Amino acid sequence: MKVKFVIPLLIILWLSKKITSLPPESRGLDRRSFPDNFVFGTAASAFQYEGATSEGGKSPSIWDYFSHTFPERTNMQNGDVAVDFYHRYKNDIKLMKELDMDAFRFSISWARLIPSGKVKDGVNKEGVKFYNALIDELIANGIQPSMSLYHWDHPQALEDEYGGFLSPQMIEDFRDFSRVCFEEFGDRVRMWTTINEPYIITVAGYDTGNKAVGRCSKWVNSQCQAGDSATEPYIASHHLLLAHAAAVQEFRKCNKTSQDGQIGIVLSPLWFEPYSTSPEDNEAVKRALAIELDWHLDPVIHGDYPEILKKQLGNRLPSFTAEQSKMLKNSSDFIGLNYYTGRYIAHLPYVDPARPRFNTDQQLEWRVTNHSNHQIGPEEDRGILYSVPEGLRKVLNYIKDRYNNPTVYIKENGINDYDDGTKSREEILNDTFRIKYHEDHLQQLQKAIM
Ligand SMILES: *[C@@H]1O[C@H](CO)[C@@H](O)[C@H](O)[C@H]1NC(C)=O
Ligand SMILES: *[C@@H]1O[C@H](CO)[C@@H](O)[C@H](O)[C@H]1NC(C)=O
Ligand SMILES: *[C@@H]1O[C@H](CO)[C@@H](O)[C@H](O)[C@H]1NC(C)=O
Ligand SMILES: *[C@@H]1O[C@H](CO)[C@@H](O)[C@H](O)[C@H]1NC(C)=O
């Protein structure tokens, strides 16, 4: 298994420092347990950490618009300040260095670089300056910059003008945006990703409507202003995939990046186990993996959607022209993987044919416990995340077997800080669950590459 690069969330970095405080059976797992060319780093995304959403010439992104227009849909939170990285990046980079990080994966805010969304309207010099300063500061501290082009936050202007990723116009605007990034930053940034988690973007943005752009069928979620959960997730993903391919075309043409740079898409599969031993549940697991992973992975490797989805979805799944298919084929130098958790999958026997939607198209249900009431893994405080470390190894092996052993980079893994305001500093720092989570996942990762 060619896994070369690990970028988990920040706290993993403690592992190298805290290794002596781990339980005796886990001692001995450290950097030397991995090949020399393994890269350990941290990851973040522009909307989640930059703040300064209306400073430096930046226009509102879809997340600024969504969180300000429908605050009740984002728990009254927005990204106006976030962790104020825009102003504090030098200090944050110092922390990364103290933690002995090799790399930092961050995303560029399209709305900061090109406020109207369209290159012909002009590139924001202050935006270029900020990302140049960030990249230079990282390099000066011995940290490799790894840039994501799209982490969910295109300019709202493009949404207003033509509906963002529902329109093929988005492919060309994304192409132009990406070309500017390669030309401005490609001399120093070697590692690039195109689209981060297309599955989450389209399912949460167009089927359930609980993330920006917040569209869905009215009967799915009455908070949605408009949308169609039966068709839009597939259309938006189609355009995201083509936007990815267009960016890769530009990347491979660009003098600055063509030499030793690498570019790829980032997917976010869970691992799935059958709810019971029934053939129906076993088949359902195959469908779950097909939609979670193969939906976006088959196109960037083979140039087309998986047969199983084409057959099942008919004309709700858009199709690629011969030219588009050629552009998509072999368009990812590596497969980027964000892995967090796993679930049991049960076959869902009945779906109302009058109400099709993405969520039930695969006729499956996610479960936390299996038929003999065994829980998929230990549960983190909030019951959101279950630690399923062996799922990481299994998903890596699934990719290896199904896609002829491509290079895989793990781009995210980890658990959020849990702080509801009631815990003391000591309690927050004593995050034994998280330390064990990372420890277990690294152990499974090590097994996978042996
Ligand atoms: C960039 O590539 C183009 C076409 O491949 C070539 O004409 C041009 O000279 C190159 N520029 C540099 C600076 O290498
Ligand atoms: C549930 O999971 C446990 C642990 O993996 C396993 O031993 C058991 O056989 C599973 N039950 C079913 C019905 O698959
Ligand atoms: C895939 O693309 C890469 C980068 O352009 C190239 O080096 C490689 O030969 C291609 N592989 C195939 C099978 O076309
Ligand atoms: C840290 O947390 C663990 C597990 O929750 C607990 O057993 C231990 O006593 C805690 N240690 C301290 C110093 O609070």
Side-chain angles (χ1 to χ4, degrees), residues 350-382:
Y350 178 76
V351 172
D352 182 353
R355 291 192 148 180
R357 67 174 284 205
F358 177 90
N359 184 264
T360 51
D361 279 341
Q362 299 306 319
Q363 287 194 243
L364 43 90
E365 255 181 336
W366 289 20
R367 300 265 177 94
V368 168
T369 51
N370 71 7
H371 192 55
S372 34
N373 214 23
H374 186 274
Q375 190 169 297
I376 189 80
E379 178 184 355
E380 186 249 359
D381 282 0
R382 293 166 305 168

Side-chain angles (χ1 to χ4, degrees), residues 121-180:
D121 297 333
V123 174
N124 175 21
K125 289 209 171 61
E126 269 187 274
V128 175
K129 202 171 132 198
F130 170 68
Y131 291 109
N132 271 333
L134 167 57
I135 291 164
D136 291 345
E137 185 74 12
L138 286 166
I139 291 171
N141 282 278
I143 297 170
Q144 302 168 26
S146 166
M147 195 180 253
S148 303
L149 293 169
Y150 187 76
H151 201 124
W152 311 2
D153 58 346
H154 59 271
Q156 177 65 25
L158 300 180
E159 203 60 32
D160 294 340
E161 185 187 327
Y162 54 71
F165 279 107
L166 289 178
S167 163
Q169 179 59 42
M170 196 66 167
I171 302 162
E172 293 315 309
D173 282 332
F174 187 74
R175 175 194 294 279
D176 292 346
F177 157 62
S178 71
R179 185 171 51 239
V180 171

Side-chain angles (χ1 to χ4, degrees), residues 211-385:
K211 287 189 179 12
V213 290
R215 295 175 62 89
C216 69
S217 299
K218 206 78 186 169
W219 65 267
V220 168
N221 174 351
S222 62
Q223 289 181 310
C224 292
Q225 312 289 300
D228 180 355
S229 301
T231 56
E232 289 187 0
Y234 303 109
I235 296 167
S237 261
H238 194 70
H239 294 146
L240 279 161
L241 283 164
L242 290 167
H244 151 85
V248 173
Q249 260 186 344
E250 295 303 314
F251 184 85
R252 290 177 180 168
K253 269 196 284 190
C254 176
N255 304 20
K256 295 223 172 92
T257 50
S258 56
Q259 303 309 313
D260 54 354
Q262 283 187 292
I263 191 163
I265 198 165
V266 181
L267 306 177
S268 54
L270 285 78
W271 181 250
F272 299 115
E273 296 284 349
Y275 172 71
S276 78
T277 54
S278 76
E280 289 79 12
D281 288 349
N282 276 286
E283 280 303 308
V285 166
K286 289 186 195 158
R287 296 197 302 277
L289 286 164
I291 196 70
E292 280 274 327
L293 195 60
D294 309 344
W295 176 23
H296 296 103
L297 199 40
D298 270 28
V300 303
I301 291 183
H302 302 307
D304 202 1
Y305 291 118
E307 285 304 321
I308 177 176
L309 296 184
K310 289 207 272 189
K311 228 192 266 164
Q312 182 191 63
L313 296 164
N315 61 9
R316 280 197 287 138
L317 188 69
S319 53
F320 298 113
T321 65
E323 196 189 332
Q324 289 170 334
S325 169
K326 196 168 148 224
M327 181 164 105
L328 273 160
K329 200 170 176 173
N330 187 29
S331 64
S332 221
D333 294 334
F334 58 83
I335 306 308
L337 211 63
N338 295 345
Y339 177 80
Y340 289 98
T341 189
R343 285 289 187 280
Y344 291 113
I345 293 290
H347 172 65
L348 184 66
Y350 178 76
V351 172
D352 182 353
R355 291 192 148 180
R357 67 174 284 205
F358 177 90
N359 184 264
T360 51
D361 279 341
Q362 299 306 319
Q363 287 194 243
L364 43 90
E365 255 181 336
W366 289 20
R367 300 265 177 94
V368 168
T369 51
N370 71 7
H371 192 55
S372 34
N373 214 23
H374 186 274
Q375 190 169 297
I376 189 80
E379 178 184 355
E380 186 249 359
D381 282 0
R382 293 166 305 168
I384 290 177
L385 209 101

